[in-house]
């Protein structure tokens, strides 16, 4: 099984109670369990982590070099502010797919500035918790294509 880091940024530990009209009612624990199941069906072993701290997210990305084949990353609000996280994504030689539960392009103007996105392999935004699942599917395709040399 290929190993994948699913990394959740700030405030995502409050999913379920946090602005449910925007982010849905599912808790992070339930989402992670579904991703483990869904990832398993795709041949991916999902290891999920959440942090509210920019430096810890950077450390998790660096650490993934040692054990993961790819990363699915919801940077939360850091997507719009963090050059350090963008540089961390660019620094590691792993495919990173950026994920957002909400459609950030359809919300406030400040959410349209996506600093990390250009360093990522792609983005999935606006499909609720299933954004993560779609990103896992994309990662599975990418990793298979890499093996086939496609
Ligand atoms: C989010 C979108 C961000 O703009 C916001 O700051 C979040 C959640 C999402 O998953 O929709 O914290 O990343």
């Amino acid at each position: 099984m290929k190993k994948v880091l699913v990394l959740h940024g700030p405030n995502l530990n409050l999913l379920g109670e946090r602005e449910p009209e925007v982010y849905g009612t599912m808790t992070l624990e339930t989402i992670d369990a579904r991703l483990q199941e869904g990832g398993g069906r795709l041949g991916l072993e999902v290891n999920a982590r959440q942090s509210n701290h920019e430096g810890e997210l950077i450390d998790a990305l660096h650490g993934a070099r040692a054990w993961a084949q790819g990363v699915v990353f919801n940077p939360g609000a850091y997507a719009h502010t963090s050059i350090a996280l963008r540089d961390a994504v660019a620094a590691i030689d792993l495919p990173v797919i950026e994920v957002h539960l909400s459609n950030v392009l359809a919300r406030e103007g400040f959410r349209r500035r996506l600093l990390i996105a250009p360093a990522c392999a792609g983005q999935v935004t606006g499909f609720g918790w299933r954004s993560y699942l779609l990103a896992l599917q994309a990662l599975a395709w990418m990793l298979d294509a890499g093996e086939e040399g496609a």
Side-chain angles (χ1 to χ4, degrees):
M1 294 260 263
K2 290 166 191 142
K3 293 188 176 163
V4 171
L5 170 64
V6 172
L7 188 58
H8 309 281
N11 299 307
L12 295 166
N13 54 311
L14 297 185
L15 284 178
E17 60 179 276
R18 172 194 184 201
E19 299 181 80
E21 65 291 352
V22 180
Y23 300 116
T25 53
M26 204 180 278
T27 63
L28 191 61
E29 204 183 358
T30 304
I31 291 174
D32 284 342
R34 298 233 176 151
L35 296 179
Q36 260 145 25
E37 275 170 38
R41 284 195 291 274
L42 295 164
L44 302 175
E45 182 187 312
V46 170
N47 291 278
R49 280 200 53 191
Q50 188 275 333
S51 175
N52 292 320
H53 305 281
E54 191 175 23
E56 282 182 11
L57 294 166
I58 292 169
D59 288 343
L61 289 167
H62 291 182
R65 283 150 58 240
W67 62 268
Q69 274 81 62
V71 181
V72 169
F73 184 25
N74 184 346
Y78 286 137
H80 319 298
T81 63
S82 178
I83 296 169
L85 277 167
R86 177 211 172 99
D87 286 352
V89 169
I92 61 171
D93 192 20
L94 290 174
V96 178
I97 301 189
E98 180 172 330
V99 157
H100 296 283
L101 297 129
S102 63
N103 181 358
V104 287
L105 299 174
R107 300 180 62 195
E108 302 94 327
F110 60 82
R111 292 186 208 275
R112 281 187 215 129
R113 188 172 80 142
L114 293 165
L115 296 184
I116 302 170
C120 294
Q123 296 79 41
V124 184
T125 175
F127 299 99
W129 74 271
R130 289 183 180 82
S131 291
Y132 290 98
L133 207 52
L134 291 165
L136 285 176
Q137 173 72 75
L139 206 48
W141 281 328
M142 285 187 73
L143 294 174
D144 284 349
E147 274 175 11
E148 288 158 17

